Amino acid sequence: MKSLRCAFLSLVFFILSLSISDNNICAQGKCLNDQRALLVQLNHSLYAEEEEVGITFISKRRSWNLSTDCCFSWEGITCDRVGHVISLDLSSENLLDGLSSWSSLFNLKYLVRLNLAYNSFDHDTSFLSKLHQLSNLNYLNLSNSGFSKQLPVVISRMTRLATLDLSYSMSELNNLDLKILTRNLTSLRELVLDGTDMSVASIEFVIMFSFGLNQLQYLDLSNNSFTGLITSIGSPENLTTLCLSQNRLTGSLPSQWNKLLNLVDLDLTNNFLNGTIPMALFTIPSLKYLHLSMNQFTGQLGEFSNGSSSLLQLLDLSNNQLQGRIPLSIFQIPN
């Protein structure tokens, strides 16, 4: 399962992106006739799985009533001030079919955000080939959407994307796939790839290549079957969150961390990391949350120097093999 903390931070990042990416989201106009018609056509084309016995499922689309305004009353729909649909949320709709290359979805030209998470599109993934036609899209969530046999390479043409979530959607991702996928995504701020088998990928390549995305702030690579050592960490300028939990990383951590000037949250929980904990970790000036639990770190925790991060709020070292005294200098960290 995805780290709850990483999931929470991803949600926070998304909520913030709603207010940052489009200032008109709080001021919706009356639904335009052409936009309503496209949504009605889309709704009629979608096929959802029957409800399971004992499970209550209420579709968002039950509120799509022609007697009401699609901008104000239809769940999952957000409009701009003019009345164009700019956000469409079809997540967790039990969808199996109905999105294809001819879907009316691709005529919603003003879409900025599209959420198709938690559906099962493995029967027909032809719609993936036309996603780039939504040229204004900056948020795309395809997590848990059931197209594990096909890498949506066309996403590399969606140059405005700021948030891309493909978690638990691909069976395997290697170095070349990642390079192709992100080669043109120069605006990407959040990349979520947890739950993907990257056992054939190099953790060093993935980290360094991802850090080459200059705008990247949030990177989730948890539960990806990564193996091997982390020998270097690079110096990404904007990265604030790095999740590498629930992998198979081994060896000791590198000693150089102070170049990560804006890193707020580092999660290395549930790996096979060993050796002593480098005190250089605590010199990251912006660090607030450090998760090192469920590893094999040994030795004694060193003293915290005057150069240690004064912003540190949470330090989790549980389920390791540390010995010795707790350094008294830890109580000098103010937060």
Side-chain angles (χ1 to χ4, degrees):
M1 292 294 292
K2 181 177 179 177
S3 167
L4 291 177
R5 188 194 51 76
C6 286
F8 173 75
L9 285 171
S10 181
L11 176 61
V12 170
F13 191 98
F14 169 56
I15 293 173
L16 289 174
S17 72
L18 293 182
S19 59
I20 295 172
S21 63
D22 195 308
N23 293 328
N24 294 330
I25 193 169
C26 294
Q28 298 190 58
K30 186 177 180 180
C31 186
L32 297 175
N33 290 334
D34 68 314
Q35 300 290 283
R36 180 190 296 107
L38 290 172
L39 291 172
V40 170
Q41 183 180 349
L42 175 63
N43 190 27
H44 286 164
S45 69
L46 296 174
Y47 172 73
E49 185 177 17
E50 294 295 329
E51 299 177 19
E52 297 183 30
V53 177
I55 297 179
T56 301
F57 168 69
I58 301 178
S59 171
K60 302 180 186 71
R61 293 175 292 125
R62 289 187 181 181
S63 65
W64 292 17
N65 190 318
L66 287 176
S67 64
T68 60
D69 190 288
C70 72
C71 292
F72 291 94
S73 302
W74 292 18
E75 190 175 353
I77 304 297
T78 303
C79 301
D80 61 15
R81 289 173 178 166
V82 178
H84 299 122
V85 176
I86 59 172
S87 179
L88 176 61
D89 182 359
L90 291 174
S91 61
S92 303
E93 285 288 292
N94 286 356
L95 298 178
L96 292 176
D97 206 348
L99 279 182
S100 61
S101 58
W102 47 264
S103 174
S104 61
L105 168 70
F106 301 107
N107 291 319
L108 294 170
K109 299 298 185 181
Y110 296 91
L111 271 185
V112 176
R113 289 177 288 277
L114 177 61
N115 188 348
L116 297 174
Y118 291 94
N119 288 293
S120 299
F121 295 120
D122 52 340
H123 293 84
D124 184 4
T125 58
S126 61
F127 74 94
L128 294 173
S129 65
K130 295 187 69 174
L131 280 175
H132 68 282
Q133 293 188 7
L134 299 172
S135 57
N136 291 307
L137 217 60
N138 68 24
Y139 174 90
L140 178 61
N141 190 340
L142 295 173
S143 63
N144 294 272
S145 51
F147 55 87
S148 58
K149 296 181 180 179
Q150 180 178 351
L151 175 70
V153 176
V154 70
I155 290 174
S156 66
R157 298 168 63 182
M158 303 174 70
T159 56
R160 289 195 178 188
L161 278 184
T163 298
L164 175 60
D165 190 340
L166 295 174
S167 56
Y168 294 92
S169 286
M170 294 175 292
S171 58
E172 185 177 284
L173 193 65
N174 57 40
N175 292 351
L176 181 59
D177 289 337
L178 179 65
K179 188 173 182 178
I180 293 174
L181 178 66
T182 60
R183 59 188 170 190
N184 299 317
L185 305 184
T186 55
S187 300
L188 206 60
R189 297 198 304 265
E190 180 181 18
L191 179 59
V192 186
L193 292 172
D194 62 304
T196 302
D197 184 357
M198 290 190 177
S199 57
V200 297
S202 162
I203 182 62
E204 289 293 314
F205 175 87
V206 173
I207 289 178
M208 298 306 294
F209 183 80
S210 300
F211 288 176
L213 301 170
N214 294 330
Q215 302 299 317
L216 197 65
Q217 298 175 27
Y218 181 102
L219 177 61
D220 189 349
L221 297 171
S222 56
N223 196 19
N224 283 357
S225 301
F226 277 123
T227 59
L229 307 171
I230 303 176
T231 58
S232 62
I233 205 67
S235 55
E237 295 182 359
N238 297 303
L239 194 72
T240 61
T241 301
L242 176 60
C243 296
L244 288 168
S245 63
Q246 302 180 72
N247 283 292
R248 304 168 189 167
L249 301 173
T250 58
S252 57
L253 291 176
S255 58
Q256 296 297 320
W257 292 88
N258 57 351
K259 293 181 179 180
L260 297 172
L261 299 179
N262 295 302
L263 191 66
V264 173
D265 195 333
L266 176 62
D267 188 356
L268 296 170
T269 302
N270 199 0
N271 280 283
F272 298 95
L273 299 168
N274 55 40
T276 58
I277 296 174
M279 296 306 293
L281 276 173
F282 303 101
T283 64
I284 300 174
S286 54
L287 190 67
K288 291 184 179 180
Y289 313 104
L290 179 59
H291 300 258
L292 299 176
S293 64
M294 300 179 70
N295 280 286
Q296 299 172 3
F297 290 113
T298 58
Q300 184 169 339
L301 191 64
E303 291 291 340
F304 291 81
S305 66
N306 292 332
S308 298
S309 174
S310 60
L311 300 178
L312 191 66
Q313 297 180 23
L314 187 150
L315 174 61
D316 189 351
L317 303 175
S318 59
N319 289 283
N320 280 285
Q321 300 172 27
L322 299 173
Q323 296 177 325
R325 298 173 56 187
I326 296 176
L328 294 177
S329 52
I330 196 172
F331 300 107
Q332 298 175 8
I333 300 176
N335 295 307

